[in-house]
Amino acid sequence: MADEVVLDARGLVKDYRRDRAVDGISLVVHAGERVALLGPNGAGKTTTLLMILGVVSPDEGAVSICGFDLAHQRSRAAECVGFAAGYLPLTERMRVREYLRLYAQLYGIAEPNPLIEAGLERFRIADLAGAMGTELSSGQRTLIGIVRATLHRPRLLVLDEPTASLDPDVARRVREGLLDLCDRDGTALLMTSHDMSDVVEVCERVVFLSHGHIVADGDPDTVAAAYGRGDLAGVFLHLAERHEPTGAQQSDHP
Amino acid sequence: MTNPPIAPTISPDAMTARAKSWLRMRAIARRHAYVLVRSPHRLFDVSLWPLVDVLLFGSLAAFVGTSGSTPAAKASGYLLAGIVLWHVIYQSQIAMSTGLLEETWTRNLLNLMVTPLREVEYLGGVALFGMIKLVIGVGVMVIGAFAFFSFHTWSLGVGLIPIAVVLLVVGWAISLFVMGLVLRFGTGAEALAWGVMFVLLPLSGVFYPTKALPTVMQPVALALPTTHAFTALRSLVDRHGTDWTQVSIAAIGSLVMLGLSMWFLVAMLRAFRKRGYITRYT
């Protein structure tokens, strides 16, 4: 199962009006693999994720998820993916249980109650089932968003800044829940984060982006060593400096 | 420490594609039902506003009808029948358009777009919910017209049904067009969700024959399927029976309108994905 490719993105290019956001990114993720997509603001992380999710269409390149071509079988591909982002709100005017039921049904689950109970229990928030979305803190909303994204046991879980603005305790619960999910279900994880301690704890592979290119790809220690830094934070800062307009002429590569 | 992997219990093939589509449509309809029930001001759309309209136009009809002349009696019937049937377009259009607008107002669009939900399933879901709103809203009008003005809408006969269906299709067509504009131009285009109706209202001869319009506007009016639908309605009010010629023209026109709106929406959705407009709502 570990050799099974769940995400195969080839030669992704995306131009926006003023610049090229993504410039030829290729990324393959296998079942059970935990991958962090890292880089400074504007490196192309979110655009890459949105293309992988089928919400933004690439100008060049193709994405295949669990063998389904995203351009032609988006709905089937989306059944294999879960997505959550720290910045996304919950659907308004719904209780948590109703909200989770709605999304479970969008994923084709007719009787989702046992999965909702299990999902809330995994992140130790079963007591929130009856709460309205507007009554929740931002950390609780993030947790509910992750439960929603994992209800259908996706083959690939995509998370954009899952622990942003979370307190340390909730962030720890998120990390533990994600590791449990990946271990138990063999779910592959692709996440972005600016918190390098999260990345080190959760991910076994890091992919650094800069100026829309992949500039490093490997396990955290190897990537840090290649840049002559002691840890990922050092690599991040190095790339962030290069990302400034004044540093644009310097190489992003090790 | 690592637990052995377990097979996912959720198989994409566990339900037929048709069953999944129906499940998704019902889920979307239920989501909007929660919005309606839990936002009292939204209930005005299906209760207070229809009642206000029936009171306004009913009172006007009662006043006009007091003169006792035949044209006045006709005008009185046109006003009440016109406003009741106008709400078929209004309710179906507003329910669908505000369905999408609700997702943009609450930044919920990305949440939906990453799911397996197909565009047609989303439209089916909001249309299904719109039908429920339509039945409630028009039901309030029919009851109000009967209770306050002794106007028996159902006495116009079964000929009302094809006219209502045509107007329903026109309402959907307008909403698809508005949705396309919202996807392309953002929520700034939302004023059209309401505004476009008020362009159509006078041109369609909802309350009067289109020959009452300024001469220069009459060809425009004739090109609208709604004009023919309301002409057929006046035939019913005048007790001349169903004017199948006008109903047929209206039906063909409404289908053409629906086809053009669908084409426009698909083109705008393609532009939405191509230009990355989702970032407006994240």
Side-chain angles (χ1 to χ4, degrees):
Chain A
M1 190 171 76
D3 289 339
E4 181 196 342
V5 173
V6 292
L7 168 65
D8 188 358
R10 301 276 174 188
L12 297 181
V13 172
K14 189 70 207 172
D15 287 325
Y16 288 134
R17 192 166 288 175
R18 276 179 290 184
D19 56 5
R20 176 159 286 193
V22 172
D23 191 7
I25 285 180
S26 293
L27 184 64
V28 174
V29 176
H30 293 88
E33 203 174 12
R34 301 189 300 271
V35 183
L37 200 58
L38 306 175
N41 289 329
K45 304 184 297 292
T46 297
T47 300
T48 302
L49 289 191
L50 292 175
M51 286 193 282
I52 286 169
L53 292 165
V55 181
V56 170
S57 49
D59 295 332
E60 290 176 32
V63 177
S64 161
I65 294 171
C66 296
F68 296 111
D69 175 15
L70 202 53
H72 301 104
Q73 297 169 287
R74 193 199 65 79
S75 185
R76 291 302 303 271
E79 285 179 344
C80 306
V81 183
F83 172 71
Y87 49 80
L88 279 181
L90 301 189
T91 303
E92 288 188 10
R93 297 182 185 87
M94 295 180 82
R95 296 191 185 282
V96 166
R97 187 185 301 284
E98 295 161 350
Y99 170 78
L100 294 174
R101 188 176 174 81
L102 162 68
Y103 280 90
Q105 291 183 336
L106 294 183
Y107 281 94
I109 304 167
E111 291 302 331
N113 285 347
L115 292 163
I116 291 172
E117 305 300 335
L120 291 171
E121 203 54 56
R122 187 195 296 272
F123 291 92
R124 289 176 271 156
I125 47 172
D127 55 314
L128 299 180
M132 293 293 287
T134 46
E135 296 168 1
L136 305 178
S137 69
S138 63
Q140 288 169 329
R141 284 200 298 269
T142 301
L143 287 172
I144 298 296
I146 294 173
V147 172
R148 181 208 70 208
T150 55
L151 275 177
H152 60 296
R153 296 187 176 172
R155 307 294 298 138
L156 172 67
L157 177 61
V158 179
L159 301 175
D160 197 5
E161 300 286 350
T163 56
S165 77
L166 297 186
D167 70 41
D169 173 55
V170 179
R172 180 171 52 84
R173 267 196 273 175
V174 169
R175 288 193 295 267
E176 288 174 359
L178 291 176
L179 287 170
D180 177 61
L181 180 84
C182 295
D183 287 345
R184 289 179 67 86
D185 293 355
T187 302
L189 177 66
L190 178 64
M191 63 180 267
T192 70
S193 181
H194 286 121
D195 185 335
M196 294 304 122
S197 63
D198 269 358
V199 172
V200 168
E201 208 165 316
V202 175
C203 298
E204 59 206 359
R205 176 182 163 201
V206 295
V207 177
F208 268 101
L209 302 188
S210 182
H211 297 103
H213 298 276
I214 292 178
V215 293
D217 184 350
D219 70 80
D221 291 339
T222 306
V223 168
Y227 277 85
R229 312 283 156 163
D231 55 23
L232 290 180
V235 179
F236 189 96
L237 291 172
H238 169 82
L239 290 173
E241 286 166 15
R242 296 295 177 273
H243 207 76
E244 296 295 323
T246 51
Q249 300 304 312
Q250 300 173 55
S251 171
D252 294 328
H253 291 273
Chain B
M1 182 181 146
T2 303
N3 295 305
I6 57 170
T9 54
I10 314 306
S11 162
D13 300 316
M15 295 173 75
T16 64
R18 186 174 295 181
K20 275 192 276 192
S21 283
W22 177 231
L23 183 66
R24 288 176 191 139
M25 284 193 271
R26 279 184 294 148
I28 291 296
R30 196 179 305 114
R31 174 258 191 286
H32 288 286
Y34 283 125
V35 173
L36 180 70
V37 172
R38 290 181 179 154
S39 324
H41 62 285
R42 300 284 174 85
L43 285 168
F44 288 0
D45 276 347
V46 291
S47 56
L48 189 62
W49 305 138
L51 214 51
V52 166
D53 272 350
V54 87
L55 276 174
L56 175 66
F57 287 90
S59 302
L60 200 55
F63 172 68
V64 168
T66 50
S67 73
S69 68
T70 307
K74 271 186 171 184
S76 169
Y78 292 171
L79 282 168
L80 269 164
I83 195 63
V84 171
L85 269 287
W86 175 252
H87 263 257
V88 174
I89 304 183
Y90 176 83
Q91 295 290 350
S92 60
Q93 195 277 125
I94 288 294
M96 282 189 73
S97 299
T98 54
L100 180 71
L101 283 167
E102 179 72 30
E103 314 300 358
T104 62
W105 292 330
T106 57
R107 297 193 299 128
N108 194 44
L109 213 48
L110 181 55
N111 279 333
L112 290 176
M113 289 186 79
V114 298
T115 70
L117 180 71
R118 293 179 172 90
E119 292 81 359
V120 70
E121 291 165 348
Y122 180 79
L123 294 175
V126 287
L128 181 63
F129 172 68
M131 296 282 278
I132 295 165
K133 277 185 79 176
L134 172 71
V135 169
I136 298 171
V138 174
V140 165
M141 297 200 83
V142 169
I143 293 167
F146 176 68
F148 299 135
F149 305 103
S150 301
F151 181 77
H152 302 242
T153 308
W154 55 87
S155 72
L156 297 174
V158 291
L160 272 180
I161 295 171
I163 297 171
V165 170
V166 165
L167 296 176
L168 178 70
V169 173
V170 171
W172 287 344
I174 296 169
S175 65
L176 297 185
F177 177 68
V178 171
M179 285 179 177
L181 290 174
V182 169
L183 288 176
R184 174 62 184 81
F185 298 105
T187 47
E190 72 183 70
L192 288 162
W194 288 270
V196 74
M197 303 291 292
F198 295 102
V199 174
L200 210 57
L201 179 65
L203 287 175
S204 302
V206 175
F207 307 117
Y208 43 76
T210 49
K211 64 185 178 193
L213 285 168
T215 313
V216 70
M217 303 306 292
Q218 290 181 17
V220 180
L222 285 175
L224 298 171
T226 43
T227 301
H228 301 281
F230 283 103
T231 302
L233 174 65
R234 281 191 295 279
S235 172
L236 290 179
V237 174
D238 293 341
R239 306 294 170 192
H240 294 152
T242 307
D243 184 340
W244 287 107
T245 305
Q246 292 297 325
V247 170
S248 302
I249 295 170
I252 292 166
S254 65
L255 290 175
V256 169
M257 204 170 164
L258 186 67
L260 289 172
S261 295
M262 285 176 80
W263 171 82
F264 179 73
L265 178 61
V266 168
M268 292 303 101
L269 187 63
R270 197 173 295 131
F272 182 89
R273 286 205 161 99
K274 185 80 181 163
R275 300 184 190 190
Y277 287 152
I278 188 66
T279 52
R280 290 169 172 166
Y281 308 109
T282 57

